[in-house]
C-alpha cells in the first residue's frame, strides 16, 4: 500500500503507544534519506532495539517544551516531527530546534513531510521561539532541497555525524508569544 488519501490526513501529538511505528519509520526513513551520505557500516550502526529504548524513554518522560507530532491517515502513522528547545550551546534560548522529521519512505511525495514540518514549526512559534535550527547531513540532497524550499539556510555551523558531515540550517519563525512574556497579559 504505497498511496493513501492524503486529504484525510490528521496531525496529532504522539502517544507512548506509537513507539513501534515511530521506531520503524525513524530507521527506514533515516536509512533511505541518508543512504548516499553514509557508509554501509555507519548505516548498520542504527538498530531497532537501541532506537526503541530511546523512543520509549522520550515518549514516557517528555523533556519540558518538546513536542512530537504524528501524521496519520486512517489508522496508519505516516511520519513524525520532533521539536523543542535548542540543544546547541552556541545559540541563545530564543532559538528552537526541529529535532527530527521522518516520513515512511513508502509515502514520500504526498505532502506528509510538509504537513509535519508546518505543524512542528507552528508548535515552536506557539512556544515563543523566534527562530529555529536543524541538523541535516550534507549529502542528504532530498531533505536539503525540501528545507531550502521552506526558507531554511545554512548558518555556517558544521559537525561530523556517523562518519559524514552534518550542516546546521536556520530560519526565522513567526513569533506568537515571545518567550518569557506573561501568559494572558
Ligand atoms: C525529507 C522528508 C521528510 C520529506 O517528506 P515527504 O513526505 O516526501 O515530503 P512532501 O511530500 O511534503 O514534499 C516532498 C516533495 O514532494 C512535493 N509534493 C508534496 N505533495 C505532493 C503531491 N501531492 N504531488 C506532487 N508532489 C508533491 C513537495 O513539493 C516536495 O517537493 P520539494 O522537496 O522539491 O519541495 C522525507 O523525504 C524523509 O523522511 N526523509 C528521510 C529523513 C530525513 O532526511 N529527514 C530530514 C533530515 S532530519
Amino acid at each position: 500500500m504505497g498511496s493513501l488519501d492524503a486529504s484525510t490526513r490528521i496531525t496529532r501529538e504522539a502517544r507512548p503507544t506509537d513507539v513501534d511505528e515511530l521506531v520503524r519509520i525513524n530507521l527506514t526513513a533515516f536509512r533511505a534519506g541518508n543512504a548516499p551520505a553514509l557508509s554501509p557500516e555507519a548505516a548498520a550502526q542504527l538498530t531497532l532495539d537501541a532506537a526503541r529504548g530511546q523512543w520509549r524513554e522520550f515518549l514516557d518522560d517528555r523533556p519540558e517544551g518538546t513536542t512530537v507530532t504524528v501524521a496519520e491517515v486512517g489508522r496508519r502513522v505516516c511520519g513524525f516531527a520532533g521539536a523543542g528547545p535548542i540543544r546547541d550551546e552556541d545559540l541563545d534560548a530564543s532559538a528552537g530546534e526541529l529535532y527530527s522529521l521522518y516520513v515512511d519512505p513508502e509515502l514520500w511525495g504526498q505532502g506528509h513531510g510538509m504537513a509535519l514540518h508546518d505543524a512542528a514549526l507552528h508548535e515552536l512559534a506557539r512556544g515563543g521561539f523566534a527562530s529555529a535550527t536543524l541538523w541535516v547531513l550534507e549529502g542528504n540532497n532530498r531533505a536539503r532541497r525540501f528545507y531550502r524550499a521552506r526558507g531554511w539556510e545554512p548558518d555556517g555551523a558544521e559537525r561530523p555525524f556517523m562518519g559524514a558531515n552534518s550542516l546546521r540550517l536556520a530560519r526565522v519563525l513567526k513569533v506568537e508569544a515571545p518567550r518569557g512574556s506573561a501568559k494572558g497579559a
Side-chain angles (χ1 to χ4, degrees):
M1 185 173 60
S3 183
L4 298 174
D5 180 4
S7 68
T8 63
R9 174 184 50 240
I10 58 154
T11 54
R12 60 166 174 80
E13 206 34 45
R15 302 186 275 259
T17 48
D18 293 319
V19 67
D20 287 339
E21 277 304 87
L22 297 190
V23 169
R24 182 185 68 76
I25 292 171
N26 195 168
L27 287 188
T28 54
F30 182 88
R31 288 198 181 116
N34 290 300
L38 287 179
S39 66
E41 296 75 27
Q45 282 172 27
L46 291 158
T47 65
L48 268 177
D49 285 346
R52 186 176 287 115
Q54 288 165 1
W55 268 109
R56 188 156 280 147
E57 206 174 295
F58 188 78
L59 291 173
D60 285 348
D61 187 14
R62 190 91 53 79
E64 195 181 336
T66 60
T67 58
V68 182
T69 305
V70 161
E72 196 174 65
V73 174
R75 295 175 70 95
R76 180 169 177 178
V77 174
C78 306
F80 66 89
I86 192 157
R87 296 172 293 185
D88 299 344
E89 287 173 1
D90 63 320
L91 295 178
D92 72 52
S94 66
E97 183 174 345
L98 182 61
Y99 304 136
S100 53
L101 175 59
Y102 292 97
V103 172
D104 186 334
E106 283 187 11
L107 304 172
W108 284 2
Q110 298 176 34
H112 303 305
M114 264 190 291
L116 286 164
H117 171 271
D118 293 355
L121 263 51
H122 177 72
E123 289 299 325
L124 287 175
R126 225 159 55 99
F129 294 104
S131 61
T133 65
L134 64 85
W135 288 94
V136 63
L137 283 186
E138 190 170 7
N140 186 345
N141 292 326
R142 184 183 169 89
R144 290 188 63 193
R145 190 184 63 225
F146 176 91
Y147 289 129
R148 198 176 312 119
R150 284 157 192 89
W152 296 85
E153 300 279 354
D155 75 355
E158 298 185 14
R159 68 181 181 198
F161 183 75
M162 298 181 77
N165 192 38
S166 190
L167 307 177
R168 190 168 66 195
L169 311 184
R171 61 160 275 176
V172 169
L173 300 176
K174 281 192 194 138
V175 178
E176 296 186 10
R179 278 184 92 62
S181 69
K183 286 229 159 66

